[in-house]
Amino acid sequence: MELAYIPSPSTGVINLGPIPLRGYAFCIIIGVFVAVWYGNRRWIARGGTAGTVADIAVWAVPFGLVGGRLYHVITDYQLYFSEGENWVDAFKIWEGGLGIWGAIALGAVGAWIGCRRRGIPLPAYADAIAPGIAFAQAIGRWGNWFNQELYGKPTDLPWALKITESANREAGLYHPTFLYESLWCVGVAFLVIWADRRFKLGHGRAFALYVAAYCVGRAWIEYMRVDEAHHILGLRLNVWTAIGVFVLAVVYMVVSARIRPGREEVVEPKAAKAAADKAAGTTADDEDAPADDAAADAVADAPTDTGKDAADSDGDVEHGAGNGAGSAAKS
């Protein structure tokens, strides 16, 4: 008897008036906005300027989408290029199918191009957006819920996911692996935020921590899934990918910490230079102001007829100059 379960949506399309919006695409879009918004906050806190994260995302996001789709199509080529399949479906990204490994890899290439154009070090940018990417993945996974895909093994747990019958799936209750991964990604994001504040991670180590932590959860969740996948030595391909990427991320953190300890003091050189120039200009103006005020006082109190007036005037000038010097010292 089914006492409790997570229902699946009756349709994967949300209609906004005459415009159909697929739930999968909606989740991806919201995830991207969250990643850029939060990444921008972290970038500004590190000394960067507002808008830089979004400017670089213009390069990173399209590259990431292409990379994610390429990874999925290449690793699941039988879904598109086997006998009886239509290869045109490989371009139907709205039906689901983005590999995070390809998205991060090619997205990094796009980010590198954007950083080069802005004169920004890629590792610093990666550290700033790392938690935002994890939050974006947490949101994006709900797109699998809309499509009723990538669920786990059958279960009778109270939080089981109810899948409806279709041409390529059987009805039943399954582990909601989309939910497990979504919650795991939220945890990864908070882990990176905490570690970054506690240990002042820099030079790409916050991003490497995100990658390593995600891989741990992905390997476990991947093992629970029942969708068709290639296997190597009894393990799904994505499990091996998670293990390999985890090792690379940990090695990077260790080596980077030894070669370049600490955190970058400047993440956006042009912004830092502009701020320094502005500060220098303000200081110069402040130093000139007292002298100008003293000169104005001297003119106003200039001697007129008697020697007494002249003596009083000299005293006023001296007094004004002293005030100016004092003000300059305070500034």
Side-chain angles (χ1 to χ4, degrees):
M1 181 177 179
E2 299 175 0
L3 297 178
Y5 58 83
I6 300 174
S8 292
S10 57
T11 178
V13 181
I14 301 174
N15 292 309
L16 299 178
I19 302 175
L21 178 62
R22 294 186 174 272
Y24 186 88
F26 180 75
C27 291
I28 297 297
I29 293 171
I30 295 299
V32 169
F33 273 105
V34 169
V36 172
W37 169 77
Y38 191 63
N40 182 65
R41 289 188 58 184
R42 283 174 54 84
W43 184 253
I44 294 173
R46 289 286 304 275
T49 57
T52 296
V53 170
D55 290 343
I56 297 175
V58 170
W59 289 90
V61 172
F63 273 73
L65 291 175
V66 172
R69 188 60 176 177
L70 282 175
Y71 181 89
H72 167 72
V73 171
I74 291 173
T75 56
D76 291 307
Y77 61 87
Q78 72 281 356
L79 300 177
Y80 308 100
F81 303 105
S82 299
E83 184 177 354
E85 302 292 344
N86 186 359
W87 63 270
V88 176
D89 292 341
F91 296 95
K92 296 180 180 179
I93 191 172
W94 55 86
E95 294 183 355
L98 287 175
I100 185 61
W101 316 111
I104 293 297
L106 208 55
V109 174
W112 176 78
I113 295 174
C115 287
R116 289 274 294 180
R117 291 170 60 89
R118 295 290 295 258
I120 293 171
L122 177 61
Y125 179 80
D127 284 342
I129 65 172
I133 293 177
F135 283 131
Q137 286 180 253
I139 297 171
R141 272 304 170 197
W142 284 84
N144 301 134
W145 176 67
F146 279 101
N147 286 353
Q148 297 194 52
E149 61 185 1
L150 305 186
Y151 43 85
K153 300 173 183 178
T155 182
D156 57 357
L157 291 171
W159 56 83
L161 176 66
K162 186 172 185 178
I163 296 296
T164 57
E165 185 177 4
S166 70
N168 57 358
R169 62 174 181 258
E170 296 181 3
L173 297 177
Y174 300 89
H175 277 286
T177 50
F178 85 91
L179 178 60
Y180 298 161
E181 186 167 342
S182 179
L183 294 175
W184 182 268
C185 287
V186 171
V188 169
F190 283 115
L191 170 65
V192 174
I193 293 170
W194 170 81
D196 194 27
R197 291 176 178 174
R198 175 67 176 80
F199 302 105
K200 303 298 181 183
L201 301 176
H203 301 287
R205 289 188 287 277
F207 184 82
L209 176 61
Y210 144 70
V211 172
Y214 171 75
C215 287
V216 172
R218 179 59 185 266
W220 160 63
I221 294 168
E222 188 75 24
Y223 186 75
M224 299 178 64
R225 282 166 45 172
V226 295
D227 53 295
E228 186 178 355
H230 297 288
H231 288 72
I232 301 175
L233 299 178
L235 293 179
R236 292 165 65 98
L237 174 61
N238 280 332
V239 174
W240 286 110
T241 303
I243 293 173
V245 175
F246 170 82
V247 171
L248 291 175
V250 172
V251 170
Y252 178 87
M253 282 192 290
V254 174
V255 174
S256 174
R258 291 182 178 179
I259 297 177
R260 309 179 75 180
R263 174 188 282 181
E264 302 94 334
E265 294 183 2
V266 177
V267 296
E268 196 164 354
K270 291 183 179 179
K273 185 177 183 302
D277 292 343
K278 181 178 180 181
T282 301
T283 301
D285 291 342
D286 290 344
E287 292 177 348
D288 290 342
D292 293 341
D293 292 342
D297 291 342
V299 172
D301 296 332
T304 53
D305 297 328
T306 66
K308 181 178 181 299
D309 291 336
D312 292 342
S313 175
D314 291 341
D316 291 339
V317 172
E318 182 178 355
H319 181 68
N323 289 342
S327 300
K330 292 180 182 179
S331 67

